[in-house]
Amino acid sequence: MEFICYHRDRPDSLPLREELQEAHWSYMDGFAKELIARGPTFAADGETPTGSVHIVDAPDAASARAFAFDEPNYQAGAYRDVLLRRWRNLLGRTMWDFPGGLTGGNRYFVLGLGAGQAADTDVPPGRDDDLIAYGPLLSDDGTAWLGTAVLLRAQDADAARAVLTGDRYAAVEVHDWECGGRR
């Protein structure tokens, strides 16, 4: 089962995140085979971290919760909250398999929080060159659509937002994002 985990930073958490960087990476190294994508989100300045996205293949919801809440930055209080949802990998690949590579171009995390009937449940046609990860957010039992989460390369934030049908969501968030991990 695939899950998306979005840890949102507390204000002024950068010094704590820097202090815990090696602990965070070591923790994630333990899940290397299970990770579909990972990486930080940033404020409009493109430098200040605002959160951390991890998409993980876990045996069940309890394992996904343990992954999210045992993470060193979370344990130390660097994050203000955690969004954890079941997710379906419609592209069937990891970020390391993305044909566009791990760097280059503007990259975004788009999070559409559902409202009503399911939307954007299929991969948009002709987008293989810019979609890094794409899939619906689901209830724990996998039966109810709760939204859509996308990692993509786009010209700008407006183009990234356009990957989702905006009026079908209670809210759509667009965050600057980059592929994470050891450099």
PDB file of all heavy atoms in Angstrom, residues 98 105-110 127 129-134 149-157 159-164 174-175 177:
ATOM      1  N   PHE A  98      11.917   8.780 -13.072  1.00  0.00           N
ATOM      2  CA  PHE A  98      11.367   9.881 -13.868  1.00  0.00           C
ATOM      3  C   PHE A  98      12.292  10.160 -15.050  1.00  0.00           C
ATOM      4  O   PHE A  98      13.491  10.380 -14.869  1.00  0.00           O
ATOM      5  CB  PHE A  98      11.204  11.121 -12.994  1.00  0.00           C
ATOM      6  CG  PHE A  98      10.804  12.372 -13.728  1.00  0.00           C
ATOM      7  CD1 PHE A  98       9.639  12.412 -14.477  1.00  0.00           C
ATOM      8  CD2 PHE A  98      11.597  13.505 -13.674  1.00  0.00           C
ATOM      9  CE1 PHE A  98       9.265  13.572 -15.155  1.00  0.00           C
ATOM     10  CE2 PHE A  98      11.236  14.666 -14.336  1.00  0.00           C
ATOM     11  CZ  PHE A  98      10.069  14.697 -15.085  1.00  0.00           C
ATOM     12  N   GLY A 105      14.894  22.345 -14.064  1.00  0.00           N
ATOM     13  CA  GLY A 105      13.533  22.861 -14.166  1.00  0.00           C
ATOM     14  C   GLY A 105      12.905  23.129 -12.811  1.00  0.00           C
ATOM     15  O   GLY A 105      13.450  22.767 -11.766  1.00  0.00           O
ATOM     16  N   ASN A 106      11.772  23.788 -12.826  1.00  0.00           N
ATOM     17  CA  ASN A 106      11.023  24.073 -11.600  1.00  0.00           C
ATOM     18  C   ASN A 106      10.186  22.857 -11.239  1.00  0.00           C
ATOM     19  O   ASN A 106       9.488  22.313 -12.090  1.00  0.00           O
ATOM     20  CB  ASN A 106      10.116  25.283 -11.804  1.00  0.00           C
ATOM     21  CG  ASN A 106      10.881  26.518 -12.207  1.00  0.00           C
ATOM     22  OD1 ASN A 106      11.969  26.766 -11.717  1.00  0.00           O
ATOM     23  ND2 ASN A 106      10.327  27.284 -13.135  1.00  0.00           N
ATOM     24  N   ARG A 107      10.241  22.472  -9.983  1.00  0.00           N
ATOM     25  CA  ARG A 107       9.495  21.296  -9.534  1.00  0.00           C
ATOM     26  C   ARG A 107       8.542  21.707  -8.411  1.00  0.00           C
ATOM     27  O   ARG A 107       8.878  22.563  -7.600  1.00  0.00           O
ATOM     28  CB  ARG A 107      10.462  20.205  -9.079  1.00  0.00           C
ATOM     29  CG  ARG A 107      11.195  19.647 -10.304  1.00  0.00           C
ATOM     30  CD  ARG A 107      12.463  18.940  -9.957  1.00  0.00           C
ATOM     31  NE  ARG A 107      13.193  18.656 -11.174  1.00  0.00           N
ATOM     32  CZ  ARG A 107      13.316  17.465 -11.715  1.00  0.00           C
ATOM     33  NH1 ARG A 107      12.755  16.414 -11.167  1.00  0.00           N
ATOM     34  NH2 ARG A 107      14.000  17.306 -12.827  1.00  0.00           N
ATOM     35  N   TYR A 108       7.386  21.037  -8.405  1.00  0.00           N
ATOM     36  CA  TYR A 108       6.323  21.421  -7.474  1.00  0.00           C
ATOM     37  C   TYR A 108       5.642  20.203  -6.872  1.00  0.00           C
ATOM     38  O   TYR A 108       5.585  19.134  -7.492  1.00  0.00           O
ATOM     39  CB  TYR A 108       5.258  22.267  -8.197  1.00  0.00           C
ATOM     40  CG  TYR A 108       5.811  23.544  -8.768  1.00  0.00           C
ATOM     41  CD1 TYR A 108       6.259  23.598 -10.083  1.00  0.00           C
ATOM     42  CD2 TYR A 108       5.903  24.684  -7.988  1.00  0.00           C
ATOM     43  CE1 TYR A 108       6.786  24.763 -10.609  1.00  0.00           C
ATOM     44  CE2 TYR A 108       6.428  25.860  -8.512  1.00  0.00           C
ATOM     45  CZ  TYR A 108       6.870  25.893  -9.817  1.00  0.00           C
ATOM     46  OH  TYR A 108       7.395  27.050 -10.341  1.00  0.00           O
ATOM     47  N   PHE A 109       5.126  20.415  -5.684  1.00  0.00           N
ATOM     48  CA  PHE A 109       4.235  19.473  -5.026  1.00  0.00           C
ATOM     49  C   PHE A 109       2.864  20.124  -5.047  1.00  0.00           C
ATOM     50  O   PHE A 109       2.681  21.220  -4.510  1.00  0.00           O
ATOM     51  CB  PHE A 109       4.700  19.221  -3.590  1.00  0.00           C
ATOM     52  CG  PHE A 109       3.725  18.458  -2.729  1.00  0.00           C
ATOM     53  CD1 PHE A 109       3.131  17.282  -3.164  1.00  0.00           C
ATOM     54  CD2 PHE A 109       3.415  18.910  -1.455  1.00  0.00           C
ATOM     55  CE1 PHE A 109       2.250  16.573  -2.355  1.00  0.00           C
ATOM     56  CE2 PHE A 109       2.540  18.216  -0.631  1.00  0.00           C
ATOM     57  CZ  PHE A 109       1.960  17.049  -1.088  1.00  0.00           C
ATOM     58  N   VAL A 110       1.904  19.502  -5.711  1.00  0.00           N
ATOM     59  CA  VAL A 110       0.545  20.020  -5.798  1.00  0.00           C
ATOM     60  C   VAL A 110      -0.349  19.086  -4.995  1.00  0.00           C
ATOM     61  O   VAL A 110      -0.375  17.872  -5.233  1.00  0.00           O
ATOM     62  CB  VAL A 110       0.060  20.112  -7.263  1.00  0.00           C
ATOM     63  CG1 VAL A 110      -1.354  20.672  -7.328  1.00  0.00           C
ATOM     64  CG2 VAL A 110       1.014  20.973  -8.089  1.00  0.00           C
ATOM     65  N   ARG A 127       1.520  13.871 -20.518  1.00  0.00           N
ATOM     66  CA  ARG A 127       2.270  14.566 -19.469  1.00  0.00           C
ATOM     67  C   ARG A 127       3.441  13.738 -18.942  1.00  0.00           C
ATOM     68  O   ARG A 127       4.008  14.070 -17.903  1.00  0.00           O
ATOM     69  CB  ARG A 127       1.341  14.905 -18.297  1.00  0.00           C
ATOM     70  CG  ARG A 127       0.118  15.740 -18.598  1.00  0.00           C
ATOM     71  CD  ARG A 127       0.411  17.183 -18.962  1.00  0.00           C
ATOM     72  NE  ARG A 127       1.127  17.933 -17.991  1.00  0.00           N
ATOM     73  CZ  ARG A 127       0.609  18.852 -17.183  1.00  0.00           C
ATOM     74  NH1 ARG A 127      -0.672  19.108 -17.211  1.00  0.00           N
ATOM     75  NH2 ARG A 127       1.384  19.519 -16.356  1.00  0.00           N
ATOM     76  N   ASP A 129       6.447  13.576 -19.662  1.00  0.00           N
ATOM     77  CA  ASP A 129       7.714  14.304 -19.550  1.00  0.00           C
ATOM     78  C   ASP A 129       7.768  15.239 -18.350  1.00  0.00           C
ATOM     79  O   ASP A 129       8.832  15.746 -18.029  1.00  0.00           O
ATOM     80  CB  ASP A 129       7.976  15.116 -20.820  1.00  0.00           C
ATOM     81  CG  ASP A 129       8.298  14.232 -22.008  1.00  0.00           C
ATOM     82  OD1 ASP A 129       8.625  13.047 -21.807  1.00  0.00           O
ATOM     83  OD2 ASP A 129       8.216  14.734 -23.145  1.00  0.00           O
ATOM     84  N   ASP A 130       6.624  15.503 -17.701  1.00  0.00           N
ATOM     85  CA  ASP A 130       6.666  16.432 -16.571  1.00  0.00           C
ATOM     86  C   ASP A 130       6.094  15.867 -15.266  1.00  0.00           C
ATOM     87  O   ASP A 130       6.341  16.414 -14.203  1.00  0.00           O
ATOM     88  CB  ASP A 130       6.012  17.764 -16.917  1.00  0.00           C
ATOM     89  CG  ASP A 130       4.548  17.671 -17.313  1.00  0.00           C
ATOM     90  OD1 ASP A 130       4.012  16.556 -17.407  1.00  0.00           O
ATOM     91  OD2 ASP A 130       3.940  18.727 -17.542  1.00  0.00           O
ATOM     92  N   LEU A 131       5.378  14.759 -15.313  1.00  0.00           N
ATOM     93  CA  LEU A 131       4.833  14.176 -14.090  1.00  0.00           C
ATOM     94  C   LEU A 131       5.865  13.260 -13.441  1.00  0.00           C
ATOM     95  O   LEU A 131       6.346  12.316 -14.061  1.00  0.00           O
ATOM     96  CB  LEU A 131       3.554  13.397 -14.376  1.00  0.00           C
ATOM     97  CG  LEU A 131       2.353  14.209 -14.847  1.00  0.00           C
ATOM     98  CD1 LEU A 131       1.183  13.290 -15.162  1.00  0.00           C
ATOM     99  CD2 LEU A 131       1.966  15.252 -13.808  1.00  0.00           C
ATOM    100  N   ILE A 132       6.179  13.540 -12.195  1.00  0.00           N
ATOM    101  CA  ILE A 132       7.146  12.746 -11.442  1.00  0.00           C
ATOM    102  C   ILE A 132       6.403  11.700 -10.612  1.00  0.00           C
ATOM    103  O   ILE A 132       6.816  10.545 -10.541  1.00  0.00           O
ATOM    104  CB  ILE A 132       8.009  13.666 -10.558  1.00  0.00           C
ATOM    105  CG1 ILE A 132       8.778  14.648 -11.450  1.00  0.00           C
ATOM    106  CG2 ILE A 132       8.944  12.850  -9.662  1.00  0.00           C
ATOM    107  CD1 ILE A 132       9.378  15.828 -10.728  1.00  0.00           C
ATOM    108  N   ALA A 133       5.311  12.098  -9.980  1.00  0.00           N
ATOM    109  CA  ALA A 133       4.443  11.198  -9.210  1.00  0.00           C
ATOM    110  C   ALA A 133       3.025  11.754  -9.310  1.00  0.00           C
ATOM    111  O   ALA A 133       2.824  12.966  -9.296  1.00  0.00           O
ATOM    112  CB  ALA A 133       4.885  11.116  -7.753  1.00  0.00           C
ATOM    113  N   TYR A 134       2.048  10.867  -9.421  1.00  0.00           N
ATOM    114  CA  TYR A 134       0.660  11.303  -9.606  1.00  0.00           C
ATOM    115  C   TYR A 134      -0.268  10.233  -9.044  1.00  0.00           C
ATOM    116  O   TYR A 134      -0.095   9.046  -9.338  1.00  0.00           O
ATOM    117  CB  TYR A 134       0.359  11.482 -11.097  1.00  0.00           C
ATOM    118  CG  TYR A 134      -0.992  12.087 -11.384  1.00  0.00           C
ATOM    119  CD1 TYR A 134      -1.107  13.448 -11.637  1.00  0.00           C
ATOM    120  CD2 TYR A 134      -2.148  11.314 -11.398  1.00  0.00           C
ATOM    121  CE1 TYR A 134      -2.345  14.019 -11.912  1.00  0.00           C
ATOM    122  CE2 TYR A 134      -3.389  11.881 -11.660  1.00  0.00           C
ATOM    123  CZ  TYR A 134      -3.480  13.232 -11.908  1.00  0.00           C
ATOM    124  OH  TYR A 134      -4.696  13.795 -12.165  1.00  0.00           O
ATOM    125  N   ALA A 149      -2.637  14.084  -5.197  1.00  0.00           N
ATOM    126  CA  ALA A 149      -1.306  14.629  -4.927  1.00  0.00           C
ATOM    127  C   ALA A 149      -0.414  14.373  -6.133  1.00  0.00           C
ATOM    128  O   ALA A 149      -0.425  13.286  -6.707  1.00  0.00           O
ATOM    129  CB  ALA A 149      -0.711  13.999  -3.681  1.00  0.00           C
ATOM    130  N   VAL A 150       0.362  15.409  -6.489  1.00  0.00           N
ATOM    131  CA  VAL A 150       1.185  15.357  -7.690  1.00  0.00           C
ATOM    132  C   VAL A 150       2.549  15.980  -7.401  1.00  0.00           C
ATOM    133  O   VAL A 150       2.633  17.020  -6.759  1.00  0.00           O
ATOM    134  CB  VAL A 150       0.523  16.155  -8.848  1.00  0.00           C
ATOM    135  CG1 VAL A 150       1.325  16.024 -10.131  1.00  0.00           C
ATOM    136  CG2 VAL A 150      -0.919  15.750  -9.049  1.00  0.00           C
ATOM    137  N   LEU A 151       3.585  15.346  -7.888  1.00  0.00           N
ATOM    138  CA  LEU A 151       4.921  15.938  -7.971  1.00  0.00           C
ATOM    139  C   LEU A 151       5.193  16.108  -9.451  1.00  0.00           C
ATOM    140  O   LEU A 151       5.011  15.162 -10.235  1.00  0.00           O
ATOM    141  CB  LEU A 151       5.973  15.028  -7.339  1.00  0.00           C
ATOM    142  CG  LEU A 151       5.822  14.759  -5.851  1.00  0.00           C
ATOM    143  CD1 LEU A 151       6.807  13.681  -5.402  1.00  0.00           C
ATOM    144  CD2 LEU A 151       6.010  16.027  -5.038  1.00  0.00           C
ATOM    145  N   LEU A 152       5.601  17.315  -9.856  1.00  0.00           N
ATOM    146  CA  LEU A 152       5.817  17.548 -11.278  1.00  0.00           C
ATOM    147  C   LEU A 152       6.824  18.638 -11.549  1.00  0.00           C
ATOM    148  O   LEU A 152       7.127  19.449 -10.670  1.00  0.00           O
ATOM    149  CB  LEU A 152       4.507  17.871 -11.986  1.00  0.00           C
ATOM    150  CG  LEU A 152       3.931  19.277 -11.833  1.00  0.00           C
ATOM    151  CD1 LEU A 152       3.012  19.579 -12.997  1.00  0.00           C
ATOM    152  CD2 LEU A 152       3.187  19.436 -10.543  1.00  0.00           C
ATOM    153  N   ARG A 153       7.296  18.640 -12.772  1.00  0.00           N
ATOM    154  CA  ARG A 153       8.130  19.714 -13.296  1.00  0.00           C
ATOM    155  C   ARG A 153       7.211  20.598 -14.134  1.00  0.00           C
ATOM    156  O   ARG A 153       6.458  20.085 -14.973  1.00  0.00           O
ATOM    157  CB  ARG A 153       9.257  19.130 -14.142  1.00  0.00           C
ATOM    158  CG  ARG A 153      10.251  20.151 -14.638  1.00  0.00           C
ATOM    159  CD  ARG A 153      11.397  19.504 -15.353  1.00  0.00           C
ATOM    160  NE  ARG A 153      10.905  18.684 -16.458  1.00  0.00           N
ATOM    161  CZ  ARG A 153      11.631  17.792 -17.096  1.00  0.00           C
ATOM    162  NH1 ARG A 153      12.878  17.582 -16.767  1.00  0.00           N
ATOM    163  NH2 ARG A 153      11.125  17.096 -18.098  1.00  0.00           N
ATOM    164  N   ALA A 154       7.257  21.915 -13.889  1.00  0.00           N
ATOM    165  CA  ALA A 154       6.381  22.839 -14.618  1.00  0.00           C
ATOM    166  C   ALA A 154       7.085  24.178 -14.793  1.00  0.00           C
ATOM    167  O   ALA A 154       8.035  24.502 -14.065  1.00  0.00           O
ATOM    168  CB  ALA A 154       5.069  23.028 -13.867  1.00  0.00           C
ATOM    169  N   GLN A 155       6.570  24.968 -15.718  1.00  0.00           N
ATOM    170  CA  GLN A 155       7.154  26.286 -15.992  1.00  0.00           C
ATOM    171  C   GLN A 155       7.086  27.190 -14.771  1.00  0.00           C
ATOM    172  O   GLN A 155       8.029  27.905 -14.462  1.00  0.00           O
ATOM    173  CB  GLN A 155       6.436  26.934 -17.174  1.00  0.00           C
ATOM    174  CG  GLN A 155       6.997  28.277 -17.555  1.00  0.00           C
ATOM    175  CD  GLN A 155       6.316  28.842 -18.785  1.00  0.00           C
ATOM    176  OE1 GLN A 155       5.620  28.147 -19.510  1.00  0.00           O
ATOM    177  NE2 GLN A 155       6.527  30.116 -19.030  1.00  0.00           N
ATOM    178  N   ASP A 156       5.935  27.174 -14.080  1.00  0.00           N
ATOM    179  CA  ASP A 156       5.760  28.010 -12.895  1.00  0.00           C
ATOM    180  C   ASP A 156       4.630  27.431 -12.044  1.00  0.00           C
ATOM    181  O   ASP A 156       4.024  26.411 -12.405  1.00  0.00           O
ATOM    182  CB  ASP A 156       5.468  29.466 -13.291  1.00  0.00           C
ATOM    183  CG  ASP A 156       4.272  29.625 -14.217  1.00  0.00           C
ATOM    184  OD1 ASP A 156       3.298  28.837 -14.103  1.00  0.00           O
ATOM    185  OD2 ASP A 156       4.299  30.536 -15.057  1.00  0.00           O
ATOM    186  N   ALA A 157       4.366  28.074 -10.917  1.00  0.00           N
ATOM    187  CA  ALA A 157       3.356  27.566  -9.981  1.00  0.00           C
ATOM    188  C   ALA A 157       1.968  27.517 -10.611  1.00  0.00           C
ATOM    189  O   ALA A 157       1.197  26.584 -10.334  1.00  0.00           O
ATOM    190  CB  ALA A 157       3.332  28.420  -8.710  1.00  0.00           C
ATOM    191  N   ALA A 159       1.210  26.983 -13.778  1.00  0.00           N
ATOM    192  CA  ALA A 159       1.177  25.810 -14.666  1.00  0.00           C
ATOM    193  C   ALA A 159       1.098  24.525 -13.851  1.00  0.00           C
ATOM    194  O   ALA A 159       0.419  23.577 -14.252  1.00  0.00           O
ATOM    195  CB  ALA A 159       2.410  25.805 -15.564  1.00  0.00           C
ATOM    196  N   ALA A 160       1.762  24.492 -12.712  1.00  0.00           N
ATOM    197  CA  ALA A 160       1.687  23.313 -11.843  1.00  0.00           C
ATOM    198  C   ALA A 160       0.270  23.139 -11.308  1.00  0.00           C
ATOM    199  O   ALA A 160      -0.281  22.033 -11.330  1.00  0.00           O
ATOM    200  CB  ALA A 160       2.678  23.447 -10.688  1.00  0.00           C
ATOM    201  N   ARG A 161      -0.342  24.222 -10.858  1.00  0.00           N
ATOM    202  CA  ARG A 161      -1.713  24.168 -10.334  1.00  0.00           C
ATOM    203  C   ARG A 161      -2.688  23.666 -11.399  1.00  0.00           C
ATOM    204  O   ARG A 161      -3.652  22.958 -11.093  1.00  0.00           O
ATOM    205  CB  ARG A 161      -2.145  25.544  -9.842  1.00  0.00           C
ATOM    206  CG  ARG A 161      -3.566  25.601  -9.295  1.00  0.00           C
ATOM    207  CD  ARG A 161      -3.967  27.013  -8.873  1.00  0.00           C
ATOM    208  NE  ARG A 161      -3.083  27.561  -7.879  1.00  0.00           N
ATOM    209  CZ  ARG A 161      -3.205  27.395  -6.561  1.00  0.00           C
ATOM    210  NH1 ARG A 161      -4.183  26.684  -6.091  1.00  0.00           N
ATOM    211  NH2 ARG A 161      -2.356  27.947  -5.736  1.00  0.00           N
ATOM    212  N   ALA A 162      -2.439  23.992 -12.643  1.00  0.00           N
ATOM    213  CA  ALA A 162      -3.347  23.643 -13.741  1.00  0.00           C
ATOM    214  C   ALA A 162      -3.419  22.139 -14.005  1.00  0.00           C
ATOM    215  O   ALA A 162      -4.300  21.687 -14.736  1.00  0.00           O
ATOM    216  CB  ALA A 162      -2.943  24.378 -15.009  1.00  0.00           C
ATOM    217  N   VAL A 163      -2.532  21.350 -13.386  1.00  0.00           N
ATOM    218  CA  VAL A 163      -2.595  19.899 -13.566  1.00  0.00           C
ATOM    219  C   VAL A 163      -3.870  19.333 -12.930  1.00  0.00           C
ATOM    220  O   VAL A 163      -4.343  18.278 -13.323  1.00  0.00           O
ATOM    221  CB  VAL A 163      -1.324  19.202 -13.010  1.00  0.00           C
ATOM    222  CG1 VAL A 163      -1.314  19.176 -11.501  1.00  0.00           C
ATOM    223  CG2 VAL A 163      -1.167  17.817 -13.592  1.00  0.00           C
ATOM    224  N   LEU A 164      -4.446  20.055 -11.962  1.00  0.00           N
ATOM    225  CA  LEU A 164      -5.686  19.623 -11.311  1.00  0.00           C
ATOM    226  C   LEU A 164      -6.866  20.490 -11.750  1.00  0.00           C
ATOM    227  O   LEU A 164      -6.689  21.664 -12.062  1.00  0.00           O
ATOM    228  CB  LEU A 164      -5.554  19.705  -9.792  1.00  0.00           C
ATOM    229  CG  LEU A 164      -4.496  18.809  -9.150  1.00  0.00           C
ATOM    230  CD1 LEU A 164      -4.530  18.965  -7.637  1.00  0.00           C
ATOM    231  CD2 LEU A 164      -4.667  17.361  -9.553  1.00  0.00           C
ATOM    232  N   VAL A 174       0.060  24.629  -3.789  1.00  0.00           N
ATOM    233  CA  VAL A 174       1.197  24.429  -4.679  1.00  0.00           C
ATOM    234  C   VAL A 174       2.444  24.847  -3.911  1.00  0.00           C
ATOM    235  O   VAL A 174       2.533  25.969  -3.415  1.00  0.00           O
ATOM    236  CB  VAL A 174       1.062  25.257  -5.976  1.00  0.00           C
ATOM    237  CG1 VAL A 174       2.283  25.053  -6.873  1.00  0.00           C
ATOM    238  CG2 VAL A 174      -0.217  24.898  -6.716  1.00  0.00           C
ATOM    239  N   HIS A 175       3.385  23.926  -3.800  1.00  0.00           N
ATOM    240  CA  HIS A 175       4.621  24.168  -3.057  1.00  0.00           C
ATOM    241  C   HIS A 175       5.821  23.931  -3.956  1.00  0.00           C
ATOM    242  O   HIS A 175       5.856  22.933  -4.691  1.00  0.00           O
ATOM    243  CB  HIS A 175       4.721  23.194  -1.869  1.00  0.00           C
ATOM    244  CG  HIS A 175       3.555  23.245  -0.953  1.00  0.00           C
ATOM    245  ND1 HIS A 175       3.474  24.122   0.096  1.00  0.00           N
ATOM    246  CD2 HIS A 175       2.407  22.524  -0.931  1.00  0.00           C
ATOM    247  CE1 HIS A 175       2.332  23.943   0.739  1.00  0.00           C
ATOM    248  NE2 HIS A 175       1.655  22.977   0.138  1.00  0.00           N
ATOM    249  N   TRP A 177       9.192  22.396  -4.715  1.00  0.00           N
ATOM    250  CA  TRP A 177       9.679  21.114  -4.219  1.00  0.00           C
ATOM    251  C   TRP A 177      10.928  20.714  -4.981  1.00  0.00           C
ATOM    252  O   TRP A 177      11.109  21.123  -6.127  1.00  0.00           O
ATOM    253  CB  TRP A 177       8.582  20.062  -4.420  1.00  0.00           C
ATOM    254  CG  TRP A 177       8.978  18.658  -4.101  1.00  0.00           C
ATOM    255  CD1 TRP A 177       9.039  18.085  -2.863  1.00  0.00           C
ATOM    256  CD2 TRP A 177       9.389  17.642  -5.027  1.00  0.00           C
ATOM    257  NE1 TRP A 177       9.457  16.777  -2.961  1.00  0.00           N
ATOM    258  CE2 TRP A 177       9.664  16.480  -4.281  1.00  0.00           C
ATOM    259  CE3 TRP A 177       9.543  17.594  -6.403  1.00  0.00           C
ATOM    260  CZ2 TRP A 177      10.101  15.293  -4.873  1.00  0.00           C
ATOM    261  CZ3 TRP A 177       9.973  16.410  -6.994  1.00  0.00           C
ATOM    262  CH2 TRP A 177      10.230  15.282  -6.228  1.00  0.00           C
TER     263      TRP A 177
END
